[in-house]
Amino acid sequence: MNIICTCPFTPNLTGLSFTKPTTNFISPHPYLSHAPIQWNNRKREFQLPSVASVPYPSINVDYLETEFNGHGVSFASIGDSCVVKMKLDNGSLVSLMLPSGLITSYKAPMWHQGLLELLHTVVSEAEDGGGFIQGGVSLALKCESDEGVVWSPSNWALHDVGGSPEEFIQVELITSNRESMVEIKHILTLGQDVLSSELVITNSKSTSVRLTGSVLSHLAVSTPEATFALGLERSNFFIRPPVFSKFTIVPPDFDKSQKSSSGKIWQLFSSWGSRDPEVTNDANSTGSQEEEELEGEEDDNNKQLTEKMSRIYTNAPTNFTVLDRGRRNSVVVASEGFNELYIFSPGSNHNSYSKYAYICVGQSALLEPIFLAPQSEWRAAQHLHNPNL
């Protein structure tokens, strides 16, 4: 069990400032060569609703273009949503959707002088006839108070923008729930060779808050058969069903391939964080032999992701590499603050470069929740580093 009273990170995690700042100040990750942003004291933000489930008003794109001009960020309307584009002079480009907060694209410069899309998304038809996007990078988080108030952030407001297209661009999103008195900041930094997602979660209550969930990143690959995870040798793992959230992509036939002996565990984790006593009791009733089959130690430092897999690593290194020999590129996935690593592969029985040609990775708190003490703050981050320049 992780109990967070302040920000007890180890000294080698230099990517974040661990003391609660008096102004918005974000220290750079080691991959970033720029100086940190010192935000202006004048805050520019949309008013947050008192209940997170209340939709935000229509986004005024003209206002955003005027207010945040000159930072390498542009805005465009698509229906009720707004697309935020962050573009550097070296070609790096990130697309972000508001108010959902979904990162739909990260195009990075490659060794062959071209750009390559590192994220995987699919567009499906929604029930209302419109389009619905899944994949990319999203936050699947759930906060639960001691009083039983449950909240999952879904609507995000633009809080501030900084940086310049010559060096780096930083966009800060914010959401809150007044009933549970929790505020979450999602700070995106696009550097010359990295996309960083930092979380700052503040508990203003007089009681503790339980946090579960993950930062989920769908990485585009040619096919899982040509994809390898480098650097996970000797990491302990638990075999668990995929994490289901609003934006995750999971093949419909994935659960059919699972062993019937793990069905009860599947039921518990397919709705991770469920407090249904019947589900919990069913899961606890599985025997020790089943548990042994559902955990292990990684013995391959160059693991080929050919087979279907859904695992949570509990002592994975703070960074590892996803290598795709089909597209001849790699991504270094680094983390700070999280103790677990989630990896999901749909397997190589799907067509190359198809809807299910991706690897989902996530810095997570799924097996062991994080507890935020009253009046405390917790920080964590994920970095997608592009070493292909």
Side-chain angles (χ1 to χ4, degrees):
M1 180 177 68
N2 300 320
I3 300 178
I4 308 300
C5 295
T6 53
C7 298
F9 294 162
T10 54
N12 63 331
L13 298 180
T14 59
L16 301 174
S17 175
F18 304 131
T19 58
K20 190 170 184 178
T22 55
T23 60
N24 286 338
F25 178 85
I26 305 301
S27 298
H29 185 270
Y31 289 138
L32 301 177
S33 58
H34 58 73
I37 294 178
Q38 181 70 51
W39 298 102
N40 295 327
N41 290 329
R42 181 172 63 93
K43 289 300 173 190
R44 297 166 291 185
E45 61 186 77
F46 300 114
Q47 183 177 359
L48 294 172
S50 59
V51 180
S53 60
V54 176
Y56 285 99
S58 299
I59 299 174
N60 189 330
V61 173
D62 292 335
Y63 165 79
L64 295 178
E65 286 281 9
T66 302
E67 187 72 3
F68 298 109
N69 183 43
H71 296 286
V73 177
S74 62
F75 306 88
S77 294
I78 297 184
D80 295 332
S81 299
C82 173
V83 178
V84 183
K85 289 190 176 181
M86 310 160 61
K87 186 176 182 180
L88 294 178
D89 288 347
N90 77 337
S92 296
L93 177 65
V94 166
S95 295
L96 165 72
M97 300 289 293
L98 290 178
S100 67
L102 175 67
I103 303 172
T104 59
S105 176
Y106 174 26
K107 294 181 180 179
M110 293 289 121
W111 51 272
H112 47 64
Q113 307 304 313
L115 294 178
L116 186 65
E117 177 60 69
L118 300 185
L119 301 182
H120 180 75
T121 57
V122 296
V123 180
S124 306
E125 184 177 355
E127 295 180 358
D128 59 1
F132 180 70
I133 304 176
Q134 291 177 292
V137 179
S138 63
L139 302 181
L141 302 174
K142 185 173 74 171
C143 301
E144 185 175 2
S145 68
D146 289 345
E147 295 81 10
V149 177
V150 179
W151 171 60
S152 294
S154 58
N155 288 318
W156 296 85
L158 183 63
H159 194 229
D160 214 339
V161 175
S164 67
E166 294 83 12
E167 299 182 60
F168 64 93
I169 302 170
Q170 192 169 72
V171 170
E172 181 178 330
L173 308 179
I174 191 169
T175 186
S176 65
N177 180 273
R178 295 181 183 177
E179 184 178 7
S180 59
M181 299 179 67
V182 174
E183 178 189 82
I184 302 179
K185 291 181 180 179
H186 186 193
I187 302 162
L188 303 175
T189 303
L190 175 61
Q192 300 291 319
D193 59 355
V194 66
L195 173 61
S196 297
S197 298
E198 181 187 6
L199 293 177
V200 181
I201 303 179
T202 304
N203 174 23
S204 300
K205 292 178 65 65
S206 58
T207 57
S208 62
V209 170
R210 178 178 181 265
L211 173 68
T212 55
S214 180
V215 180
L216 297 174
S217 300
H218 295 72
L219 303 180
V221 299
S222 56
T223 172
E225 187 173 22
T227 306
F228 299 80
L230 312 180
L232 297 178
E233 187 177 16
R234 302 189 69 178
S235 299
N236 296 326
F237 64 82
F238 289 84
I239 299 175
R240 290 294 187 264
V243 174
F244 289 95
S245 72
K246 183 177 181 180
F247 299 112
T248 54
I249 306 172
V250 178
D253 62 340
F254 188 88
D255 59 338
K256 297 178 182 178
S257 66
Q258 305 304 302
K259 296 180 180 179
S260 60
S261 62
S262 61
K264 295 176 181 178
I265 300 296
W266 176 280
Q267 185 182 16
L268 175 64
F269 280 82
S270 62
S271 57
W272 46 268
S274 172
R275 302 300 295 271
D276 187 335
E278 294 183 3
V279 173
T280 304
N281 291 336
D282 283 346
N284 291 336
S285 66
T286 56
S288 59
Q289 183 176 358
E290 288 185 12
E291 290 298 326
E292 291 176 359
E293 295 175 354
L294 296 173
E295 61 182 275
E297 180 180 300
E298 185 60 69
D299 59 1
D300 193 346
N301 204 46
N302 188 27
K303 182 175 182 58
Q304 189 175 19
L305 302 178
T306 303
E307 301 297 329
K308 297 180 180 180
M309 65 172 287
S310 180
R311 295 179 177 180
I312 300 174
Y313 290 85
T314 55
N315 64 336
T318 56
N319 64 82
F320 75 103
T321 301
V322 177
L323 171 66
D324 180 8
R325 293 180 176 174
R327 302 203 315 167
R328 301 175 68 184
N329 78 291
S330 59
V331 178
V332 178
V333 183
S335 68
E336 301 178 66
F338 287 100
N339 295 324
E340 301 168 5
L341 170 65
Y342 166 73
I343 298 183
F344 170 75
S345 173
S348 59
N349 59 321
H350 301 281
N351 294 331
S352 301
Y353 302 96
S354 69
K355 176 179 180 179
Y356 300 118
Y358 69 92
I359 301 297
C360 185
V361 299
Q363 313 308 323
S364 306
L366 296 171
L367 299 178
E368 291 192 23
I370 294 170
F371 287 88
L372 279 73
Q375 306 296 317
S376 68
E377 182 181 87
W378 179 74
R379 292 178 173 237
Q382 175 180 269
H383 311 279
L384 300 179
H385 172 58
N386 168 33
N388 305 287
L389 293 177

